[in-house]
Amino acid sequence: MIERNCNSFPLIRKIMPYTLKDVAALAGVSIATASRVINGKPGVKPATRTKILDVARELNYLPDQLAKGMKTKRTNTIGLVVADITNPFYSYTAKIIEMKARAHNYTVIVGNTNNNSTIEHDIITNLRERKVDGFIFASVELHDKPVRQLIQSGAPCITYHRHLEGYQGNFIGSDESEGVSLATQHLYDLGHRRIGFISGPRIFSTGRERLRSFLETSRTFAIESPDYLIKEGGYEITKTRTCVNEILSLPEPPTAIFAANDLMALQVLDCVLEAGYRVPDDISIVGYDDIAIASHHSIQLTTVNVHAKQCAELVIETLINIIEGLRPAGEHTKTLLKPELKVRESTAKPRK
Amino acid sequence: MIERNCNSFPLIRKIMPYTLKDVAALAGVSIATASRVINGKPGVKPATRTKILDVARELNYLPDQLAKGMKTKRTNTIGLVVADITNPFYSYTAKIIEMKARAHNYTVIVGNTNNNSTIEHDIITNLRERKVDGFIFASVELHDKPVRQLIQSGAPCITYHRHLEGYQGNFIGSDESEGVSLATQHLYDLGHRRIGFISGPRIFSTGRERLRSFLETSRTFAIESPDYLIKEGGYEITKTRTCVNEILSLPEPPTAIFAANDLMALQVLDCVLEAGYRVPDDISIVGYDDIAIASHHSIQLTTVNVHAKQCAELVIETLINIIEGLRPAGEHTKTLLKPELKVRESTAKPRK
DNA sequence: CTGAAAGCGCTTACAG
DNA sequence: CTGAAAGCGCTTACAG
């Protein structure tokens, strides 16, 4: 391979990447023509085209996307902001988004907010400075100021999983009411009348809506749901465990516990087993999301599948359509996928 | 907030971001001075500085990192290439890398290779076009051509978890020999003399070395390890399950199975339980990596902890040092962390 | 302490 | 079908 050295310090021999100028010079054409060929534009004599392509291959020419982005105002980059990539729901959807984006020639920059709004703000600023073409958020709070502003600025933007108050902007997610209702009814049908509920933080739509739906469904079925059976958990492990232990130490513990997501349900399972209860014999457990480990033979968690794959695919496809103007800019989409109850071994009839 | 509209199409009212030129004009100074202030460079009269900063804040000015990168030849971007972000080991290390990078003002672009070398090559090309300042690979094959070339080109680059043949370039990982030896000896000490081994693909250093160390240790302890007890698994779920089922259907199945990573061990556990065996009563199981779920109460997998957090921290710190020239460019580092055996409930004495 | 000017590597009308 | 030139938004010697 022919090398191009740093001409200001020829002795350092730091290899400088070839530019279009090099390609053009070696092919004996102008930069404009070389640019046309590299970008597959029409109107170039076949012989010229071949020559340029040959030189480019020879030099192993790679176009500088910074320079290109500066001119075209498009970077083919998408920012993906998630709460925590170690949560299987996020890593799974992030992977699908990344791969589908790549297939459409987009690159994804991932940011973890850790559910911290200051970090989220920093991430957004950084993504804007990098001129990403669009944003995906799986991390929004209901009253997420930075994301609202971003949407108002007209930037291509879509939220999934968690949405903004009033479903502002584009959103693709799951029908939380229906999912929770299905799971609650399942417990009711098995005979449970005292159910503990560990909710997620209510600043997130998922936390608020899953709790709300649980309370509504409980009322419909006349299931007891006194305050002391309802706990607001958090995404830190200890928080959930504290909630469970409080519930278990009640004079009359519930016969079932519904956790607002699978990761929390896994903690609930852990706690309940450690406290010496059997699952589902003594206590039934239900989760939400249907992450991969939920179906593992040793776990067998009854949970609600939210069609994460389909959701992620829709998200990236929709965003790319918005970016490429294939969809009216002002028009917002709100898609709710129907969730599906997965009944496994963690739920059973309560003991009499 | 003051808005700046697209002047070529004033009616479209697409908001154009402010530039240094706008800041300079409004502050009544030259672009050069504005640039100095924005970048915190010395040699500007305090009053001028204040004025510029005020205007920048007023306009909500965000520097264009594409333009900046073009001039400075630094993008403050790092490419992170992993095999599969849904594998907890990768998502955990990716998260740490991303967060530590952000703390040092670097942004991370993540690529999933899916263990496919063509995809890896595409990802590298893309990262090079985007002028990343450095590369991190957790995905290399032993004879990984594109990564070798990258290293030879002098680009700041570091591998972790999996390494190149002969530990080419910079590498931070775990001492596989020791880890496997610890786990094998643990099984030996419990009394196991027939042990099945499900290895990872041997094109990866982890796959090759864990297998090699298992065979060596077996020989040392005179543990039986006939070919039919050694299977090369893959990262697809079905592959592992096929291996396990083959082992279980032997006339005399082993009393323990050692899987080359926890994700595979989880599949082994699943299969073994489904086949009606009890763990560890009938069959002991050992994994490798110590992912979070391994310590779950329902899983309790005996495994080898590889200090993922420390590894990830070292990786990103080392790379940033290389990028910023705080470390001699030609000097390669090879760090092996001491792994630690975590004995849990999935291993016990074999039944007589 | 400040500014004019060159230039990073591209794309894109425009002219021929 | 091809090229000269302007310009994207910055930084950085250099001159004053």
Side-chain angles (χ1 to χ4, degrees), chain A residues 71-90:
Chain A
K71 278 302 296 179
T72 61
K73 301 290 162 198
R74 297 268 270 93
T75 54
N76 277 46
T77 310
I78 286 170
L80 169 60
V81 185
V82 300
D84 177 1
I85 195 76
T86 65
N87 176 324
F89 176 78
Y90 294 122

Side-chain angles (χ1 to χ4, degrees), chain A residues 159-178:
Chain A
T159 57
Y160 75 97
H161 190 56
R162 297 177 185 168
H163 61 76
L164 292 165
E165 183 70 59
Y167 292 94
Q168 219 174 126
N170 297 292
F171 173 72
I172 291 169
S174 164
D175 187 333
E176 310 287 359
S177 298
E178 174 152 355

Side-chain angles (χ1 to χ4, degrees), chain A residues 79-352:
Chain A
L80 169 60
V81 185
V82 300
D84 177 1
I85 195 76
T86 65
N87 176 324
F89 176 78
Y90 294 122
S91 62
Y92 182 64
T93 50
K95 181 182 175 186
I96 293 170
I97 288 171
E98 193 264 328
M99 293 181 62
K100 263 215 168 299
R102 183 171 307 283
H104 287 269
N105 198 31
Y106 283 85
T107 296
V108 175
I109 295 178
V110 184
N112 289 287
T113 65
N114 252 326
N115 287 315
N116 175 323
S117 58
T118 308
I119 298 181
E120 186 184 67
H121 183 262
D122 288 351
I123 292 175
I124 293 174
T125 300
N126 183 258
L127 293 173
R128 289 177 57 200
E129 290 182 348
R130 286 164 185 279
K131 307 294 169 190
V132 298
D133 295 330
F135 299 81
I136 301 175
F137 292 93
S139 62
V140 294
E141 297 180 5
L142 277 159
H143 301 280
D144 199 307
K145 196 89 164 291
V147 175
R148 291 178 111 100
Q149 287 183 343
L150 196 65
I151 292 172
Q152 275 158 18
S153 81
C157 188
I158 186 165
T159 57
Y160 75 97
H161 190 56
R162 297 177 185 168
H163 61 76
L164 292 165
E165 183 70 59
Y167 292 94
Q168 219 174 126
N170 297 292
F171 173 72
I172 291 169
S174 164
D175 187 333
E176 310 287 359
S177 298
E178 174 152 355
V180 172
S181 160
L182 284 171
T184 310
Q185 185 166 1
H186 165 65
L187 290 174
Y188 178 84
D189 291 346
L190 285 171
H192 293 276
R193 296 297 179 270
R194 271 176 76 73
I195 303 173
F197 188 85
I198 318 274
S199 97
R202 295 174 212 186
I203 52 168
F204 301 119
S205 62
T206 44
R208 187 177 73 179
E209 281 162 23
R210 290 176 189 178
L211 173 60
R212 181 203 284 156
S213 174
F214 175 72
L215 293 175
E216 275 176 22
T217 314
S218 296
R219 213 173 304 122
T220 308
F221 290 114
I223 294 171
E224 260 190 277
S225 51
D227 282 356
Y228 54 83
L229 282 181
I230 313 290
K231 301 280 178 188
E232 177 165 326
Y235 298 123
E236 320 79 44
I237 288 175
T238 50
K239 189 81 195 299
T240 305
R241 300 183 82 96
T242 308
C243 293
V244 178
N245 289 329
E246 281 172 22
I247 286 181
L248 292 180
S249 59
L250 288 171
E252 198 186 347
T255 59
I257 299 179
F258 188 168
N261 72 49
D262 282 354
L263 240 31
M264 285 163 71
L266 247 31
Q267 293 305 322
V268 173
L269 183 56
D270 235 21
C271 270
V272 167
L273 292 173
E274 273 169 19
Y277 294 91
R278 285 164 306 163
V279 175
D281 311 50
D282 301 320
I283 294 183
S284 286
I285 295 179
V286 173
Y288 206 104
D289 287 345
D290 198 18
I291 60 179
I293 192 74
S295 56
H296 192 277
H297 195 284
S298 306
I299 304 283
Q300 287 291 5
L301 183 66
T302 293
T303 186
V304 178
N305 182 292
V306 294
H307 303 299
K309 181 160 188 277
Q310 198 190 337
C311 175
E313 287 173 348
L314 259 173
V315 163
I316 184 64
E317 277 163 15
T318 306
L319 182 64
I320 290 177
N321 281 338
I322 295 171
I323 292 171
E324 304 192 342
L326 305 178
R327 166 188 284 270
E331 200 173 277
H332 285 165
T333 190
K334 171 188 165 188
T335 306
L336 293 189
L337 304 172
K338 287 286 159 231
E340 199 180 325
L341 181 68
K342 294 283 184 181
V343 177
R344 301 205 179 95
E345 309 292 326
S346 72
T347 48
K349 287 188 203 310
R351 293 201 299 173
K352 263 292 86 96

Side-chain angles (χ1 to χ4, degrees), chain B residues 83-99:
Chain B
D84 177 3
I85 194 73
T86 65
N87 177 325
F89 175 79
Y90 294 121
S91 61
Y92 182 64
T93 50
K95 181 182 174 183
I96 293 169
I97 288 170
E98 193 265 327
M99 290 181 62

Side-chain angles (χ1 to χ4, degrees), chain B residues 187-310:
Chain B
L187 289 174
Y188 178 84
D189 290 346
L190 286 171
H192 294 276
R193 295 299 179 267
R194 272 175 75 73
I195 304 174
F197 188 85
I198 317 274
S199 97
R202 293 172 213 186
I203 52 168
F204 301 118
S205 61
T206 44
R208 186 178 73 179
E209 280 161 24
R210 290 176 188 178
L211 173 61
R212 181 203 283 157
S213 174
F214 174 72
L215 293 175
E216 274 176 23
T217 313
S218 297
R219 212 173 304 121
T220 308
F221 290 114
I223 294 172
E224 260 189 274
S225 52
D227 282 355
Y228 54 83
L229 282 181
I230 313 289
K231 301 282 178 186
E232 177 165 327
Y235 298 122
E236 320 79 43
I237 289 175
T238 49
K239 189 83 195 298
T240 305
R241 301 183 82 95
T242 309
C243 293
V244 178
N245 289 329
E246 281 171 23
I247 287 181
L248 292 180
S249 59
L250 289 170
E252 199 186 346
T255 60
I257 298 179
F258 189 168
N261 72 48
D262 282 354
L263 240 30
M264 284 163 71
L266 247 30
Q267 293 306 321
V268 174
L269 183 56
D270 234 22
C271 270
V272 167
L273 292 174
E274 272 169 19
Y277 293 91
R278 285 165 307 162
V279 175
D281 312 50
D282 301 321
I283 294 183
S284 287
I285 295 178
V286 173
Y288 206 105
D289 287 344
D290 197 18
I291 60 178
I293 193 74
S295 57
H296 191 277
H297 194 283
S298 307
I299 305 283
Q300 287 291 7
L301 183 68
T302 293
T303 185
V304 179
N305 183 292
V306 293
H307 304 298
K309 180 160 188 276
Q310 199 190 336

Side-chain angles (χ1 to χ4, degrees), chain B residues 30 33 36 45 48 71 73:
Chain B
S30 73
T33 302
R36 284 186 195 103
K45 193 162 53 168
T48 317
K71 278 303 294 180
K73 300 289 163 203

Side-chain angles (χ1 to χ4, degrees), chain B residues 9-24:
Chain B
F9 306 99
L11 295 182
I12 293 187
R13 272 202 35 117
K14 173 149 173 61
I15 298 167
M16 301 291 288
Y18 287 108
T19 68
L20 246 200
K21 200 171 158 189
D22 300 317
V23 174

